């Protein structure tokens, strides 16, 4: 297990556990639109280190466990940290842009950061096989990436559940862009799959522009 991944895991577990036990701590560092508007911009970063409950925490860290090594081994530790933190902030930034007129909107979780690492892995190795819960047949990773982006975009539009779809989408965008910038030759070898995953991003920005 790589030391940098282990550090992210330990810090996330400690801060999340603190948030489980201390409501004041949780409320101070969670993503909160009104608080951010009042100047508490640190919440854009700190919300990614908190989780609603242990199940939420385990799911995110379990996903990161599988995909962090792919990014670290291919691009290096610095790229992993940049991808993780960049995706975390991209998810928060996009969430704020989409939900800034919803004063009650709140969120926590590393999902944006983890989704970014997932999409970096898929951009690097789009033909790897990924399984989906309750479906026994594995799929090429880029198809999983495409359909999940479409599902996430649908979730952003509907905004009728407690899932942070916008943070997932923002993290995924950063996760796709990072390997394109860092290893363009590698990504060029898989131009079709990467372009397919970027298609929902284009649709999203057209939708976001029209709703202004």
């Amino acid at each position: 297990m790589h030391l940098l991944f282990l550090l992210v895991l330990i810090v996330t577990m400690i801060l999340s556990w603190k948030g489980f036990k201390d409501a004041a701590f949780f409320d101070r560092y969670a993503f909160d639109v009104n608080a951010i508007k009042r100047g508490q911009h640190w919440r854009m970063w700190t919300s990614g280190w908190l989780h609603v409950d242990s199940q939420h925490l385990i799911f995110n860290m379990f996903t990161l466990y599988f995909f962090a090594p792919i990014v670290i081994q291919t691009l290096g530790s610095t790229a992993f940290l940049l991808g993780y933190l960049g995706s975390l902030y991209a998810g928060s930034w996009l969430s704020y842009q989409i939900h800034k007129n919803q004063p009650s909107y709140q969120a926590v979780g590393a999902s944006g950061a983890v989704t970014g690492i997932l999409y970096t892995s898929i951009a690097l190795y789009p033909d790897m096989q990924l399984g989906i819960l309750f479906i026994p047949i594995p799929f090429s990773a880029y198809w999983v990436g495409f359909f999940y982006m479409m599902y996430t975009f649908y979730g952003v539009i509907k905004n009728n559940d407690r899932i942070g779809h916008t943070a997932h989408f923002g993290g995924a965008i950063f996760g796709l862009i990072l390997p394109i910038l860092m290893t363009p030759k590698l990504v060029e070898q898989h131009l079709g799959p990467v372009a397919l995953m970027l298609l929902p991003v284009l649709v999203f920005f057209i939708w976001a522009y029209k709703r202004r």
Side-chain angles (χ1 to χ4, degrees):
M1 187 178 294
H2 196 276
L3 287 177
L4 188 55
F5 163 72
L6 191 60
L7 178 62
V8 170
L9 178 67
I10 291 172
V11 171
T12 304
M13 291 179 66
I14 291 173
L15 294 178
S16 293
W17 189 256
K18 170 72 171 173
F20 297 159
K21 302 296 183 181
D22 188 339
F25 178 85
F26 185 93
D27 291 341
R28 178 171 175 78
Y29 295 108
F31 183 97
D32 182 291
V33 167
N34 271 341
I36 293 171
K37 282 185 175 180
R38 293 197 302 268
Q40 297 179 15
H41 299 291
W42 67 77
R43 293 173 180 265
M44 304 275 278
W45 294 101
T46 57
S47 57
W49 303 90
L50 299 172
H51 289 81
V52 173
D53 52 33
S54 57
Q55 183 178 357
H56 186 204
L57 171 64
I58 291 170
F59 180 82
N60 275 334
M61 295 301 100
F62 190 65
T63 304
L64 188 64
Y65 172 80
F66 283 108
F67 294 100
I70 296 175
V71 177
I72 293 171
Q73 292 167 14
T74 306
L75 299 181
S77 300
T78 301
F80 165 72
L81 189 60
L82 175 62
Y84 191 83
L85 296 178
S87 297
L88 189 162
Y89 187 80
S92 292
W93 181 86
L94 193 61
S95 294
Y96 182 74
Q97 298 306 314
I98 297 297
H99 301 291
K100 60 186 176 183
N101 294 322
Q102 301 171 24
S104 62
Y105 186 85
Q106 296 178 320
V108 293
S111 300
V114 173
T115 304
I117 296 300
L118 167 64
Y119 273 84
T120 296
S121 301
I122 295 176
L124 293 170
Y125 302 103
D127 292 321
M128 66 178 171
Q129 298 294 295
L130 295 181
I132 302 176
L133 288 175
F134 310 117
I135 300 178
I137 304 171
F139 296 88
S140 294
Y142 69 92
W143 281 113
V144 176
F146 170 74
F147 284 113
Y148 183 73
M149 288 282 274
M150 293 299 294
Y151 161 73
T152 303
F153 178 43
Y154 176 80
V156 172
I157 294 174
K158 288 297 183 180
N159 190 30
N160 59 1
D161 55 31
R162 299 185 63 189
I163 299 174
H165 295 287
T166 317
H168 297 176
F169 206 88
I173 293 172
F174 191 91
L176 281 173
I177 291 174
L178 181 65
I180 292 173
L181 296 178
M182 293 192 67
T183 57
K185 290 184 178 179
L186 183 60
V187 174
E188 281 175 11
Q189 298 173 14
H190 311 292
L191 194 56
V194 172
L196 180 68
M197 290 187 291
L198 285 172
L199 182 59
V201 177
L202 176 62
V203 175
F204 171 82
F205 279 110
I206 292 173
W207 169 80
Y209 177 79
K210 288 184 176 180
R211 74 187 289 271
R212 291 191 308 172

